[in-house]
Amino acid sequence: LDFIMHLQEFVTVLVRDPRIQKEDSWHSYIDYEIFIHTNSICFTRKTSCVRRRYREFVWLRQRLQSNAVLIQLPELPSKTPFFNMNNPNHVDHRRQGLQEFLEKILQDALLLSDSRLHLFLQTQLSPEDMEACVSGQTKYSVADAIQSFASLNRRFPIEDEESKKGKNDADSDSESSSSGLGPSDDSISCGCKASPASEES
């Protein structure tokens, strides 16, 4: 019976919708949407959408490798000095490489047990905040962070419309502060926005 149950478990991961993000007048980077759809008991949320940049994938791979020394992790698409974010072929080649990387990682039960992977895939926490959460230095647990991110992003596809109506912003503030996490909610909702200047172009 376990075997049959195992056969029916699936994890679909898509890396899609590359967007150029400007940090300031000199620095831009591309981030990608990571969409997860799964019925696996390993995941707190069965569907999720987050945006991550290449540098964060590099961080994830290093952390997973240091925790699973005996596993040979798949490679990321190489970081080439000739990468041009205005070249659709370059961007799509990297997007495909990032998706293949995640697909391979998600087939490994040992890697799936690493909380960093789940925070990376199902919250918008920065690498520093993910480290702090995993090592128990935050008021919120890994599951709290994932649930709270999901409740903040329930309106994901119509985000733009929501920001046009000022009223709903006040609603979502009161909603997030009532989730029991207190002030740490703020760090969850804007974990990635304050990332340092990019070295990649």
Side-chain angles (χ1 to χ4, degrees):
L1 186 69
D2 282 347
F3 181 64
I4 294 167
M5 291 297 290
H6 186 68
L7 277 180
Q8 294 167 333
E9 268 199 11
F10 69 88
V11 181
T12 303
V13 59
L14 298 173
V15 177
R16 60 191 188 186
D17 188 25
R19 290 187 195 168
I20 295 179
Q21 309 287 355
K22 279 185 87 64
E23 285 183 308
D24 54 42
S25 49
W26 300 103
H27 299 100
S28 295
Y29 63 89
I30 292 185
D31 66 7
Y32 304 82
E33 182 183 274
I34 302 171
F35 170 76
I36 296 281
H37 177 51
T38 182
N39 64 356
S40 165
I41 55 167
C42 299
F43 284 83
T44 307
R45 305 286 309 171
K46 301 311 173 200
T47 58
S48 60
C49 259
V50 300
R51 297 197 71 83
R52 294 288 183 191
R53 58 190 293 185
Y54 182 81
R55 181 200 292 170
E56 292 172 304
F57 279 88
V58 172
W59 170 86
L60 176 69
R61 188 181 185 282
Q62 288 167 343
R63 301 312 301 157
L64 292 175
Q65 187 66 81
S66 66
N67 278 5
V69 185
L70 299 176
I71 294 178
Q72 183 53 53
L73 261 77
E75 294 298 325
L76 286 166
S78 59
K79 186 169 179 176
T80 161
F82 307 112
F83 182 79
N84 177 355
M85 64 174 68
N86 297 310
N87 179 328
N89 292 339
H90 287 195
V91 173
D92 197 60
H93 182 263
R94 179 174 279 184
R95 183 200 60 72
Q96 282 178 308
L98 295 174
Q99 178 164 321
E100 286 163 18
F101 169 76
L102 288 178
E103 284 170 347
K104 288 174 187 160
I105 277 181
L106 291 170
Q107 289 165 15
D108 191 300
L110 183 62
L111 298 175
L112 264 179
S113 68
D114 193 314
S115 300
R116 288 177 191 83
L117 178 60
H118 293 271
L119 289 170
F120 179 89
L121 293 172
Q122 298 201 300
T123 76
Q124 208 64 68
L125 290 176
S126 67
E128 297 76 21
D129 288 341
M130 286 188 269
E131 273 309 333
C133 183
V134 168
S135 55
Q137 295 165 9
T138 53
K139 291 177 188 164
Y140 49 88
S141 68
V142 170
D144 287 338
I146 291 170
Q147 293 293 359
S148 178
F149 177 74
S151 67
L152 287 168
N153 286 275
R154 210 170 278 140
R155 299 180 293 265
F156 198 88
I158 51 169
E159 213 170 49
D160 297 340
E161 290 172 39
E162 296 294 337
S163 55
K164 285 173 199 156
K165 303 180 226 152
K167 178 191 168 297
N168 285 17
D169 293 348
D171 289 352
S172 62
D173 283 348
S174 58
E175 177 185 284
S176 64
S177 59
S178 64
S179 67
L181 293 183
S184 56
D185 255 7
D186 296 337
S187 58
I188 292 169
S189 57
C190 53
C192 266
K193 288 174 192 143
S195 44
S198 155
E199 310 91 47
E200 64 190 286
S201 50

